[in-house]
Amino acid sequence: MNTLDVLASALIDERDAILSRWREQVRALPSASHLDLPTLNDHMPVWLAELAEALHASLKGPGVVEDAASPAAHGLQRFTDGFDIEEVVAEYNILRDCVHEVGERLDVDLRG
């Protein structure tokens, strides 16, 4: 099985665990500490699905991957929620770290 395929499947299979770990860390951000669960989650569950779909699609060849709408919508919503740009970037860095943790646990090499 291809590395991207393994990671894409893990994003789907372990979505709840990834989101749980992500929420735990994002709650430490000042602008996120007061948000209810649906507002905190915002577009992230959909974004993980879009990311998994993009990874699967990339295996079909160049030009198959469509642009995901969720990151832009999420950024706009976070602006409305009162986040500054550093907090939005921190959210995505936390998500990246959570995905890397899953990859490491599954022995998926995410370098390069």
Side-chain angles (χ1 to χ4, degrees), residues 36-51:
D36 61 18
L37 186 61
T39 305
L40 182 63
N41 279 344
D42 188 43
H43 293 83
M44 283 302 176
V46 174
W47 169 225
L48 281 177
E50 289 175 346
L51 180 57

Side-chain angles (χ1 to χ4, degrees), residues 27-97:
R27 283 244 185 248
L29 299 173
S31 295
S33 63
H34 69 282
L35 297 178
D36 61 18
L37 186 61
T39 305
L40 182 63
N41 279 344
D42 188 43
H43 293 83
M44 283 302 176
V46 174
W47 169 225
L48 281 177
E50 289 175 346
L51 180 57
E53 184 178 316
L55 291 172
H56 280 305
S58 71
L59 297 172
K60 297 176 185 172
V64 179
V65 178
E66 295 181 24
D67 288 337
S70 293
H74 179 76
L76 183 58
Q77 183 58 50
R78 287 307 195 231
F79 175 76
T80 302
D81 293 335
F83 281 53
D84 64 31
I85 189 67
E86 289 177 3
E87 289 173 312
V88 176
V89 171
E91 272 193 299
Y92 280 103
N93 284 337
I94 291 167
L95 182 63
R96 182 201 60 223
D97 292 345

Side-chain angles (χ1 to χ4, degrees), residues 1-9 55-56 58-60 108-109:
M1 191 177 258
N2 182 296
T3 299
L4 294 179
D5 197 37
V6 170
L7 184 59
S9 295
L55 291 172
H56 280 305
S58 71
L59 297 172
K60 297 176 185 172
V108 174
D109 186 5

